[in-house]
Amino acid sequence: RAEELNVAVAANFFATLQKLAPKFEQASGNKLLLSSGSSGQFYTQIREGAPFDVLLSADSDRPKQLEAEGLGLAGSRFTYAIGTLVLWSPKPDVVDRDGKVLRGGAFHMIGIADPRNAPYGTAAQQVLTALGLWQQLNQDKKLAVGENINQAWQFAATGNVDMAFVALSQVSDRNAISGSYWLPPQALYTPLQQDAVILTRTSKRALAETFLKWLRADPQAIAGIKAAGYHIAE
Amino acid sequence: MSLALDIAWSRADFLLQVECEMPSRGITALFGRSGSGKTTVLRCIAGLERVARASVRFNGEVWQDQRRFLPTHRRPLGYVFQESSLFAHLNVRGNLEYGLRRVPAAQRRIGFDQAVRYMGLESLLKHRSDQLSGGQRQRVAIARALLTSPQLLLMDEPLSSLDLASRREILPHLERLRDELSIPIIYVSHEIGEVMRIADHIALLEAGRVRAFGSIHEMLTRPDLPLAHLEEAGSIFDGVIAEHDPRYHLSYVDTAAGRLAISLRAAPVGQPVRVRIDARDVSLALEPPEHTSITNILPGRVMDVTDDRDPAQRLVRIDVGGRPLLARITQRSVVQLAIAPGLALYAQVKSVALMD
Amino acid sequence: MSLALDIAWSRADFLLQVECEMPSRGITALFGRSGSGKTTVLRCIAGLERVARASVRFNGEVWQDQRRFLPTHRRPLGYVFQESSLFAHLNVRGNLEYGLRRVPAAQRRIGFDQAVRYMGLESLLKHRSDQLSGGQRQRVAIARALLTSPQLLLMDEPLSSLDLASRREILPHLERLRDELSIPIIYVSHEIGEVMRIADHIALLEAGRVRAFGSIHEMLTRPDLPLAHLEEAGSIFDGVIAEHDPRYHLSYVDTAAGRLAISLRAAPVGQPVRVRIDARDVSLALEPPEHTSITNILPGRVMDVTDDRDPAQRLVRIDVGGRPLLARITQRSVVQLAIAPGLALYAQVKSVALMD
Amino acid sequence: MIASFYSPDDLVALWISLKLAAVTVALLLLLCTPLAWWLATTRSRLRVLGEAMAALPLVLPPTVLGFYLLLFLGPYGWGGRLMHHLGLQPLSFSFGGLVIGSMLYSMPFVIQPLQAAFHAVGTRALEVAATLRARPWDRFFTVAVPLARRGFITGSVLAFAHTLGEFGVVLMLGGNIPGRTQTASIVIFNHVEALDYSGAQRLSITLLVACFILLLIVYSANRSRAEVAAVA
Amino acid sequence: MIASFYSPDDLVALWISLKLAAVTVALLLLLCTPLAWWLATTRSRLRVLGEAMAALPLVLPPTVLGFYLLLFLGPYGWGGRLMHHLGLQPLSFSFGGLVIGSMLYSMPFVIQPLQAAFHAVGTRALEVAATLRARPWDRFFTVAVPLARRGFITGSVLAFAHTLGEFGVVLMLGGNIPGRTQTASIVIFNHVEALDYSGAQRLSITLLVACFILLLIVYSANRSRAEVAAVA
Ligand SMILES: Nc1ncnc2c1ncn2[C@@H]1O[C@H](COP(=O)(O)OP(=O)(O)OP(=O)(O)O)[C@@H](O)[C@H]1O
Ligand SMILES: Nc1ncnc2c1ncn2[C@@H]1O[C@H](COP(=O)(O)OP(=O)(O)OP(=O)(O)O)[C@@H](O)[C@H]1O
Ligand SMILES: [Mg+2]
Ligand SMILES: [Mg+2]
């Protein structure tokens, strides 16, 4: 008899997992119910008894915290994907390969995700701080802040900002990137580890474990994650 | 059997103080000037104003006193409002049926078709209320109130927006309600003619107080009240039909004052009736007049002569067969004919009106 | 100088067809039964109904015809509605000032205080409209219309919610408007007494058509119209004040019919006045009556005798000095006195009312 | 054809949205009618307080409102513990919870038009009904309600549309669970988040057109009857 | 004291929220009054269409509405290109853009109560005004508007509160720029997302209390005058 697994998935990974889900469902004969949302929202909801079995977070802090509070199953946590930050514009020749455009100041606005809630926003802030630009850009009100990385992308895609710090996964289509972009050095920001954890209250622990094992080890899954623009932890 | 009111209420700069026991049969007219409190009294009777210091008893039943308050919908009354009051979301039929449906069939004493006929609404049943003329609206409101078969009917100037002909058609039906169904009616009106025609009692309201209350006979001829000084003042006589004269289309009524001729009536000889004689229709002569078109000539004796509001006129009360007859004549005639209490003379009555 | 109407309009099951030229001076009464279309005519004159096939001309100015339509607010008229129509968001003073403020000061011909005094509203200025009695509301509405100093006043049963005393107070003011400010008034009323008192012309409306239109003299005595058959039917005479008799509080008026006594009036000798004689106040005698309280006795000759609505009564038209006088007497008297055209006799007039 | 145009998730979500909006409006009418009536007719000084309170649910951002509701209805909140005592499941993450959240969020849009409409009915029509023997309930339903019809329509339309478009409260309180608490507005949001703009557009237009037709029907039905005053 | 209780960001955001709500309500009243009047008085068949359209902005989730607005106002959208032709700055991420978004989102809450109120005024009062020489505009402002007062209050209150709590459109269209487009509702949302519950609570309660007091004032002022029918 087919079972249903409730998976809470961070919004930035939702589209990727949607593509992978049929493959898992075919392989296991079970169904995945995907709920997308922000990590903060999921954390709150899980504390309030949300009926999720598995959380695929956009960061590593929330899963750790859940594990510490006994809401996440001890030992089930692992990094399923590592994100890459990219400064991107849908137009060619806006962003140079070294990110000098940031210093030039010849732009109207930059889009980022909210550093307080979104890991990619935090990373963008770290990059800009390292470049010594954070304060100035803030003062000049040149930062358009989206709720999450998707909104930052939308700001840029609709042309309302000149460029935006987004996730590589959003702009790469089979490793090709349209428009112009800059990949900030990994050293400028803490790695964007996205962790998964099984939730203690699940009644489908076996299925949850099967799913996470599949996500971690199945070649199809790994290929799909990579194709979406993520790294995999070695 | 009475409607006993005891109301003390002050609202803004208007003070209502009514203590009065009205008979719960026949038609009692509430008569008074604009702003004297007529509508307010009706609203208190109906329980539409929550007045703390008021008591209302109807036929021994307490509708309201210090401790009790029977809500409006449990008082078996009908109310015709002064302003138009049709439900805008219902057509004429819907308005009429609204009250009818809420009265148990066993208690209904007047039928739908009957009320529609009384008020001449046959062709209007499907009209919306904003498609009616002012008078038509008022007729619907009266029919609607009748259809609740009330034990007491409160009518606030129900006919003031109607032409004389419509009035003439409706008044007999109201009188029939009073007589056949013996529904008592409290009737607000500022038209003394209407009041004289149908009222049995009059409550005279002045600035929130009952200045006087009594039977219509008494009230109309009391020289201390304004009623006797109205242009339409007059007196009322009770009698019986004595004889019919189909040749001249006349009927004769025997009263304490003598035999009076009225327009021919289809009423059996012996039936008690009431006639009205307007003070302005009475002229006086010292000798029995001859060769005059005046039909009714009553010998009598002067009781008193009082001033009228118009200084050119005098009100003369004449004892005709023991009943007061009011005559309004000029001061000059009083002087020329030397009219004084005790003088024997002839009252010539130009016209006598039968009251139903 | 006239108000020319030509309206053809069918609405639901009511058809209005009015073609009529009313003089734009004096008071024209629109008289007719409930539902005959009186309110609708007024609304068309005021431009409140957009009727395609209508033309309205006032004093030569086109208010409305096939091509033009002057909107209501640009027609210099005042309108007193049949139902109460006070603005609920303004108190009495605010209501009165609403129209006043919109009339340029140079065009104002009646002042705030004057209108308030005419209508007896001094103590009510701060009241909200739901704190007024029905009659008080109507008085405010009249004052409000007057304060726009209209060139034409449309009044839809303005006094029907008022008691006689209030009416008596207001009517002279309306007459003054007509005379001193020469504001023509179209006056809807179903009360013939009111109409006789103030109207100069009558338009008789029946089921949406003008059955007859003419001066009040003519209309009242035409035996083919229902007006002569009303209980209040009568005739009207023009004359001048001839003499005053302060002793008896009488004034004498010389008319074509002879000298008539009326109540004393504070009017100079020689002033033209109009008096009304009700048909029911006239009795007939073959010999000059003596020793009677009747003051006015007019010799005359019978013109014609017609049936009245009441079969017991006859309407006798008598030529007194070349003018028709209407007398209503019983059929029996007609027979007993052998009254027939050509007979010389004496009309005894019980009372004569001055109509100023 | 439908199946090829919409994904099964879309269809389920549309159904949940419609059900949610319908249930919410129905319950709100039940709940708000007496409240609005009280507000419109009382002379108590509490009225002003009540009127002010009735608008407050709007002031908080929907997600925040959802958050507080989640705390309240969750297993540690009063509401959740009450449900537990009654032997029932907590309402968070269930359709019932969505209904509660949507009701709270759309309540002002029902109360205010109803109150205004009841106020406009005035007292005269009800007095007339009382003299025609109608008991308080009777006259409420046969006079006040029909005369306040426009208020009911306005309130229902606003609440229905607002619940369809509602998103913050539903997301927070319902947890976006497909087939249970995932409404069409969340699916649209998901499509946008997943950069699937054609999917978002498809569903948006569906919602808009469906709603538009519904409103056309409601307003056309209303158009036929037009009255002005309560008594005439 | 205030400075120690609220962060400077909080205070600025509160100020922006209030300003946004006030400007939105003011502009909406200007825009919706003629629209609502037309809807209430026309006999055109277009009326039903207009009524249905007026409720549609509610049906879309706010973030989605914000997204479409962003498309429209961006350099590739009509609105953006129009601004460019006029030599003006684009409206996205500006206070002006927020105002447009909030207006669109709250419009139904102003139109509907106004329409109902104008409808209730009826024709008689306006006819009376016309016979008292008032021109159409004059009678609109001196008769229709005062008699529709409750509709204005209801509409303003709903739109004001709804704009204060609005979050999706504002976030999307405004870009959350402190001191320019960061409203109190976004700050509260951020606090909740960042699990800073005490911060969220502090600001929520501030908003609620401020709004409550404001509403109390509005309704108390309204309470003193109570009328029922347009003409009496
Ligand atoms: N709601 C109110 N608040 C204060 N005073 C009021 C209110 N309603 C009526 N009044 C006053 O009470 C008095 C009596 O009013 P009421 O309506 O009973 O008079 P009425 O005799 O019916 O007059 P009418 O013949 O003009 O209808 C009036 O002076 C009126 O101004
Ligand atoms: N809106 C309407 N639609 C259809 N018919 C109407 C409408 N308004 C009035 N009528 C009809 O038109 C006729 C004339 O109405 P109108 O109001 O002019 O009468 P009226 O002479 O003023 O009567 P009243 O003395 O009763 O006020 C009536 O038969 C009425 O039923
Ligand atoms: Mg009254
Ligand atoms: Mg009329």
Side-chain angles (χ1 to χ4, degrees):
Chain A
R1 198 168 62 87
E3 277 187 302
E4 289 181 338
L5 192 69
N6 276 311
V7 181
V9 53
N12 70 333
F13 197 68
F14 176 63
T16 311
L17 190 58
Q18 253 188 330
K19 279 183 212 138
L20 289 177
K23 292 174 180 151
F24 173 74
E25 285 169 355
Q26 251 176 351
S28 72
N30 294 302
K31 191 161 167 48
L32 294 181
L33 291 182
L34 306 185
S35 299
S36 126
S38 79
S39 307
Q41 169 206 327
F42 283 139
Y43 172 75
T44 309
Q45 287 177 331
I46 288 162
R47 280 176 45 140
E48 294 300 326
F52 300 125
D53 301 307
V54 171
L55 169 67
L56 301 190
S57 181
D59 63 357
S60 54
D61 291 350
R62 301 273 157 68
K64 261 184 216 158
Q65 216 170 336
L66 286 173
E67 200 176 2
E69 288 169 1
L71 292 165
L73 202 61
S76 67
R77 185 170 60 82
F78 77 100
T79 301
Y80 64 90
I82 299 171
T84 306
L85 187 70
V86 59
L87 178 66
W88 172 77
S89 165
K91 287 193 205 165
D93 307 328
V94 173
V95 183
D96 55 290
R97 289 298 163 109
D98 303 317
K100 291 207 190 74
V101 61
L102 286 175
R103 293 188 188 281
F107 54 87
H108 173 56
M109 286 192 107
I110 301 179
I112 62 168
D114 194 325
R116 277 162 298 189
N117 310 327
Y120 286 89
T122 317
Q125 181 183 12
Q126 288 167 345
V127 170
L128 288 173
T129 309
L131 296 177
L133 296 169
W134 176 251
Q135 206 111 35
Q136 192 60 41
L137 287 173
N138 248 329
Q139 258 172 27
D140 299 345
K141 305 202 185 301
K142 289 197 156 188
L143 294 177
V145 182
E147 181 191 344
N148 52 37
I149 203 71
N150 285 327
Q151 287 196 355
W153 182 87
Q154 285 162 0
F155 292 165
T158 56
N160 283 284
V161 296
D162 303 277
M163 55 200 147
F165 281 101
V166 299
L168 184 63
S169 58
Q170 291 174 294
V171 294
S172 74
D173 186 17
R174 294 193 192 80
N175 294 325
I177 299 177
S178 61
S180 52
Y181 64 98
W182 169 54
L183 288 166
Q186 299 269 354
L188 292 187
Y189 59 95
T190 21
L192 291 158
Q193 286 186 15
Q194 306 200 175
D195 284 8
V197 68
I198 297 176
L199 300 169
T200 318
R201 78 181 293 280
T202 181
S203 56
K204 298 159 189 165
R205 186 166 159 182
L207 180 58
E209 279 170 351
T210 316
F211 170 59
L212 284 198
K213 210 170 116 198
W214 180 84
L215 192 66
R216 184 175 205 167
D218 188 87
Q220 268 189 314
I222 291 172
I225 294 172
K226 280 186 172 165
Y230 296 97
H231 299 294
I232 297 290
E234 300 311 323
Chain B
M1 298 287 277
S2 73
L3 175 68
L5 301 180
D6 185 356
I7 304 168
W9 190 29
S10 84
R11 180 178 57 178
D13 46 5
F14 178 73
L15 184 73
L16 187 75
Q17 263 187 311
V18 167
E19 209 192 315
C20 182
E21 184 151 350
M22 304 181 183
S24 69
R25 33 193 346 227
I27 297 179
T28 302
L30 263 187
F31 194 79
R33 294 204 52 171
S34 171
S36 60
K38 305 182 292 294
T39 299
T40 313
V41 169
L42 285 201
R43 290 177 60 83
C44 288
I45 297 175
L48 292 172
E49 302 281 359
R50 286 225 167 221
V51 181
R53 290 179 48 209
S55 103
V56 178
R57 277 155 221 263
F58 179 70
N59 288 349
E61 213 180 315
V62 176
W63 281 1
Q64 180 171 357
D65 62 9
Q66 250 58 270
R67 289 157 313 163
R68 244 168 307 180
F69 184 87
L70 200 65
T72 301
H73 64 276
R74 295 184 50 206
R75 304 188 183 190
L77 48 79
Y79 195 132
V80 179
F81 286 80
Q82 186 171 11
E83 291 89 22
S84 63
S85 57
L86 301 189
F87 294 126
H89 64 297
L90 300 175
N91 62 10
V92 170
R93 176 182 287 277
N95 268 280
L96 294 179
E97 284 177 346
Y98 191 92
L100 181 65
R101 281 219 220 89
R102 282 163 179 78
V103 174
Q107 287 171 29
R108 289 182 201 159
R109 298 190 294 168
I110 179 165
F112 185 86
D113 296 334
Q114 197 181 3
V116 166
R117 203 161 3 95
Y118 278 8
M119 298 299 145
L121 301 174
E122 293 88 347
S123 64
L124 300 174
L125 289 177
K126 288 196 176 138
H127 282 235
R128 283 204 325 265
S129 53
D130 62 349
Q131 293 173 329
L132 299 177
S133 79
Q136 289 166 345
R137 276 201 280 270
Q138 197 62 0
R139 271 143 62 198
V140 176
I142 296 174
R144 185 176 63 176
L146 295 185
L147 282 170
T148 61
S149 303
Q151 288 173 33
L152 172 67
L153 194 53
L154 306 174
M155 308 186 88
D156 201 348
E157 314 211 352
L159 305 185
S160 71
S161 60
L162 291 176
D163 57 291
L164 203 69
S166 303
R167 254 185 235 204
R168 281 239 180 80
E169 282 165 21
I170 292 175
L171 277 175
H173 297 307
L174 293 184
E175 291 166 343
R176 255 164 73 182
L177 286 178
R178 174 191 62 182
D179 298 334
E180 291 175 17
L181 305 180
S182 62
I183 299 177
I185 301 176
I186 313 277
Y187 193 97
V188 169
S189 175
H190 53 249
E191 189 139 2
I192 189 70
E194 215 173 286
V195 168
M196 285 179 118
R197 156 119 200 215
I198 62 165
D200 302 301
H201 292 82
I202 299 183
L204 191 66
L205 226 62
E206 269 179 25
R209 284 164 186 277
V210 178
R211 159 98 181 263
F213 174 80
S215 78
I216 188 156
H217 300 82
E218 181 200 338
M219 297 288 287
L220 287 177
T221 51
R222 268 174 63 180
D224 61 321
L225 295 181
L227 296 176
H229 301 272
L230 289 172
E231 197 180 312
E232 300 90 340
S235 20
I236 275 170
F237 290 85
D238 292 310
V240 290
I241 301 271
E243 195 185 321
H244 295 296
D245 182 354
R247 201 177 23 141
Y248 297 127
H249 292 275
L250 290 179
S251 296
Y252 295 94
V253 178
D254 277 342
T255 70
R259 177 166 286 202
L260 297 171
I262 60 170
S263 297
L264 184 68
R265 294 291 296 204
V269 168
Q271 182 181 310
V273 292
R274 167 179 300 175
V275 297
R276 175 184 123 200
I277 298 175
D278 283 2
R280 57 183 288 226
D281 284 342
V282 181
S283 51
L284 303 177
L286 297 181
E287 291 152 25
E290 277 165 30
H291 304 301
T292 161
S293 68
I294 294 178
T295 306
N296 293 303
I297 293 166
L298 308 172
R301 193 170 290 278
V302 173
M303 294 166 69
D304 50 29
V305 181
T306 44
D307 287 354
D308 200 6
R309 208 172 33 180
D310 177 350
Q313 310 269 19
R314 288 282 181 280
L315 274 183
V316 182
R317 259 209 299 184
I318 301 137
D319 179 332
V320 283
R323 289 294 160 86
L325 174 74
L326 218 52
R328 170 175 286 152
I329 62 176
T330 59
Q331 192 196 345
R332 192 181 65 163
S333 301
V334 170
V335 172
Q336 285 183 342
L337 302 182
I339 289 171
L343 179 70
L345 39 57
Y346 297 87
Q348 317 177 81
V349 180
K350 175 78 174 63
S351 92
V352 175
L354 186 77
M355 296 171 57
D356 70 322
Chain C
M1 300 285 278
S2 74
L3 175 68
L5 301 180
D6 185 356
I7 304 168
W9 190 31
S10 83
R11 181 179 55 179
D13 47 4
F14 177 74
L15 183 73
L16 188 75
Q17 263 188 312
V18 167
E19 208 191 315
C20 182
E21 184 151 349
M22 303 181 183
S24 70
R25 29 193 351 228
I27 297 179
T28 302
L30 264 188
F31 194 77
R33 293 204 53 172
S34 170
S36 60
K38 306 181 294 292
T39 298
T40 313
V41 170
L42 285 200
R43 289 178 60 84
C44 288
I45 298 175
L48 292 173
E49 302 282 357
R50 287 223 166 223
V51 181
R53 291 179 47 209
S55 103
V56 179
R57 278 154 221 265
F58 179 70
N59 288 348
E61 213 179 315
V62 175
W63 280 1
Q64 180 171 357
D65 62 10
Q66 250 57 268
R67 291 158 311 165
R68 242 168 311 178
F69 185 88
L70 198 67
T72 302
H73 64 276
R74 294 183 50 205
R75 304 187 183 191
L77 49 81
Y79 196 133
V80 179
F81 286 80
Q82 186 172 11
E83 291 88 23
S84 62
S85 58
L86 302 189
F87 294 128
H89 63 297
L90 299 174
N91 63 8
V92 170
R93 175 182 288 277
N95 268 281
L96 293 179
E97 284 177 346
Y98 191 93
L100 182 65
R101 280 219 221 89
R102 283 162 178 79
V103 174
Q107 287 171 28
R108 289 183 200 160
R109 299 190 294 168
I110 179 165
F112 185 85
D113 294 334
Q114 199 181 1
V116 166
R117 205 163 359 96
Y118 279 8
M119 298 299 145
L121 302 174
E122 294 87 347
S123 64
L124 300 174
L125 290 176
K126 288 196 176 139
H127 281 234
R128 282 201 329 261
S129 53
D130 63 349
Q131 293 174 327
L132 299 177
S133 79
Q136 290 165 344
R137 276 200 281 269
Q138 197 61 358
R139 271 144 61 198
V140 176
I142 297 174
R144 186 176 62 176
L146 294 184
L147 282 170
T148 61
S149 303
Q151 289 174 34
L152 171 67
L153 194 52
L154 306 174
M155 308 186 88
D156 201 349
E157 313 211 352
L159 305 185
S160 71
S161 60
L162 291 176
D163 56 291
L164 202 71
S166 303
R167 256 185 231 203
R168 282 239 179 80
E169 282 165 21
I170 292 174
L171 277 175
H173 298 307
L174 293 183
E175 291 165 343
R176 255 163 74 180
L177 286 178
R178 173 191 62 182
D179 299 333
E180 290 175 16
L181 306 180
S182 62
I183 299 176
I185 301 177
I186 313 276
Y187 193 97
V188 170
S189 176
H190 52 249
E191 187 137 4
I192 188 69
E194 216 173 283
V195 169
M196 287 179 115
R197 155 123 201 211
I198 62 165
D200 301 304
H201 292 82
I202 299 184
L204 191 66
L205 225 62
E206 269 179 25
R209 285 164 186 275
V210 178
R211 158 98 184 263
F213 174 80
S215 78
I216 187 154
H217 299 81
E218 182 201 338
M219 297 287 286
L220 287 178
T221 52
R222 268 173 64 178
D224 61 321
L225 294 181
L227 296 176
H229 301 272
L230 289 173
E231 195 179 313
E232 301 89 340
S235 23
I236 274 169
F237 290 86
D238 291 310
V240 290
I241 301 268
E243 195 186 321
H244 294 296
D245 181 353
R247 202 177 23 140
Y248 296 127
H249 292 275
L250 290 179
S251 296
Y252 293 94
V253 178
D254 277 342
T255 71
R259 175 165 289 201
L260 298 171
I262 60 170
S263 296
L264 184 67
R265 294 293 296 205
V269 168
Q271 182 181 308
V273 293
R274 166 179 298 173
V275 298
R276 173 185 124 200
I277 298 177
D278 284 2
R280 58 183 287 227
D281 283 344
V282 180
S283 50
L284 304 176
L286 297 181
E287 290 151 24
E290 277 167 29
H291 303 303
T292 161
S293 67
I294 294 179
T295 307
N296 294 303
I297 293 166
L298 307 172
R301 195 170 288 277
V302 174
M303 294 165 69
D304 51 28
V305 181
T306 44
D307 286 354
D308 199 8
R309 206 172 34 176
D310 177 350
Q313 310 267 17
R314 288 283 182 278
L315 274 181
V316 182
R317 260 210 299 187
I318 301 136
D319 179 331
V320 284
R323 289 296 160 83
L325 174 73
L326 218 53
R328 169 174 286 151
I329 60 176
T330 59
Q331 192 197 346
R332 191 179 67 162
S333 301
V334 170
V335 171
Q336 285 184 342
L337 301 182
I339 289 172
L343 179 71
L345 41 57
Y346 297 88
Q348 317 178 82
V349 180
K350 175 78 175 65
S351 91
V352 175
L354 187 76
M355 297 169 54
D356 52 330
Chain D
M1 214 220 93
I2 290 177
S4 67
F5 191 63
Y6 301 108
S7 78
D9 272 10
D10 286 359
L11 289 176
V12 171
L14 272 174
W15 167 238
I16 290 179
S17 271
L18 288 178
K19 198 169 67 168
L20 178 63
V23 171
T24 301
V25 168
L27 290 179
L28 272 180
L29 287 181
L30 278 183
L31 181 72
C32 294
T33 303
L35 272 177
W37 178 250
W38 179 77
L39 288 174
T41 54
T42 184
R43 294 188 184 174
S44 153
R45 301 195 149 264
L46 288 176
R47 196 196 82 194
V48 174
L49 274 180
E51 281 183 303
M53 299 262 286
L56 279 189
L58 290 180
V59 173
L60 288 185
T63 353
V64 176
L65 191 67
F67 167 68
Y68 285 120
L69 271 176
L70 189 59
L71 291 188
F72 176 74
L73 293 178
Y76 318 121
W78 287 1
R81 273 182 291 180
L82 179 71
M83 294 302 283
H84 185 75
H85 277 300
L86 299 175
L88 298 170
Q89 292 293 313
L91 283 169
S92 46
F93 308 110
S94 72
F95 185 77
L98 292 198
V99 170
I100 290 186
S102 304
M103 282 176 66
L104 190 62
Y105 191 46
S106 292
M107 190 155 61
F109 304 128
V110 180
I111 286 201
Q112 300 249 10
L114 276 186
Q115 186 192 340
F118 282 140
H119 192 263
V121 169
T123 51
R124 170 53 59 93
L126 292 159
E127 286 184 356
V128 172
T131 68
L132 295 170
R133 304 280 197 287
R135 287 152 196 282
W137 281 107
D138 185 3
R139 49 189 194 252
F140 178 74
F141 284 111
T142 57
V143 175
V145 169
L147 286 171
R149 212 182 62 250
R150 283 192 79 88
F152 280 91
I153 291 173
T154 301
S156 306
V157 163
L158 289 179
F160 190 89
H162 197 242
T163 304
L164 277 191
E166 212 297 292
F167 157 73
V169 178
V170 168
L171 183 61
M172 200 67 184
L173 196 58
N176 191 3
I177 299 167
R180 204 197 295 172
T181 60
Q182 190 177 64
T183 63
S185 65
I186 296 184
V187 171
I188 297 177
F189 174 76
N190 281 344
H191 281 314
V192 171
E193 288 281 283
L195 313 185
D196 172 12
Y197 293 120
S198 72
Q201 207 158 334
R202 201 166 55 218
L203 213 51
S204 297
I205 290 177
T206 307
L207 262 191
L208 286 175
V209 169
C211 222
F212 188 70
I213 292 173
L214 189 77
L215 293 179
L216 275 188
I217 294 171
V218 168
Y219 286 126
S220 301
N222 186 35
R223 187 184 141 89
S224 52
R225 302 218 251 140
E227 85 291 335
V228 167
V231 284
Chain E
M1 213 222 90
I2 290 178
S4 67
F5 190 61
Y6 300 108
S7 77
D9 271 10
D10 287 358
L11 288 176
V12 171
L14 273 174
W15 166 238
I16 291 179
S17 273
L18 289 178
K19 196 169 68 170
L20 178 64
V23 171
T24 301
V25 167
L27 290 178
L28 273 180
L29 287 181
L30 279 182
L31 180 74
C32 294
T33 303
L35 273 176
W37 179 249
W38 179 77
L39 288 174
T41 55
T42 185
R43 293 188 186 175
S44 155
R45 300 194 151 265
L46 289 176
R47 195 195 83 193
V48 174
L49 274 181
E51 281 183 303
M53 299 262 286
L56 278 189
L58 289 181
V59 173
L60 288 185
T63 358
V64 175
L65 193 67
F67 173 69
Y68 286 121
L69 272 175
L70 205 54
L71 273 181
F72 175 77
L73 294 177
Y76 317 129
W78 287 0
R81 273 181 291 180
L82 179 72
M83 294 301 283
H84 186 76
H85 277 300
L86 299 174
L88 297 172
Q89 291 293 311
L91 281 170
S92 47
F93 309 124
S94 72
F95 186 75
L98 290 199
V99 170
I100 290 185
S102 303
M103 280 176 68
L104 189 64
Y105 192 47
S106 292
M107 190 153 63
F109 304 129
V110 179
I111 286 201
Q112 300 249 10
L114 276 185
Q115 186 192 339
F118 282 139
H119 191 264
V121 168
T123 51
R124 171 51 60 92
L126 292 160
E127 286 183 356
V128 172
T131 67
L132 294 171
R133 304 278 198 290
R135 286 152 197 284
W137 280 107
D138 185 2
R139 48 189 194 252
F140 178 74
F141 284 113
T142 57
V143 175
V145 169
L147 285 171
R149 211 180 65 250
R150 282 193 80 88
F152 280 92
I153 291 174
T154 301
S156 306
V157 163
L158 288 180
F160 190 89
H162 197 242
T163 304
L164 276 191
E166 213 298 290
F167 156 72
V169 179
V170 165
L171 184 60
M172 195 72 182
L173 201 58
N176 193 1
I177 301 167
R180 201 196 289 171
T181 60
Q182 188 177 65
T183 63
S185 65
I186 297 183
V187 173
I188 297 177
F189 172 79
N190 282 342
H191 281 317
V192 170
E193 282 284 287
L195 311 185
D196 173 10
Y197 295 146
S198 72
Q201 205 158 337
R202 200 165 57 217
L203 216 50
S204 298
I205 290 177
T206 307
L207 261 191
L208 286 175
V209 169
C211 220
F212 188 70
I213 292 173
L214 189 77
L215 293 178
L216 275 188
I217 294 171
V218 168
Y219 287 125
S220 300
N222 186 35
R223 188 184 140 88
S224 53
R225 302 218 252 138
E227 86 291 334
V228 166
V231 284

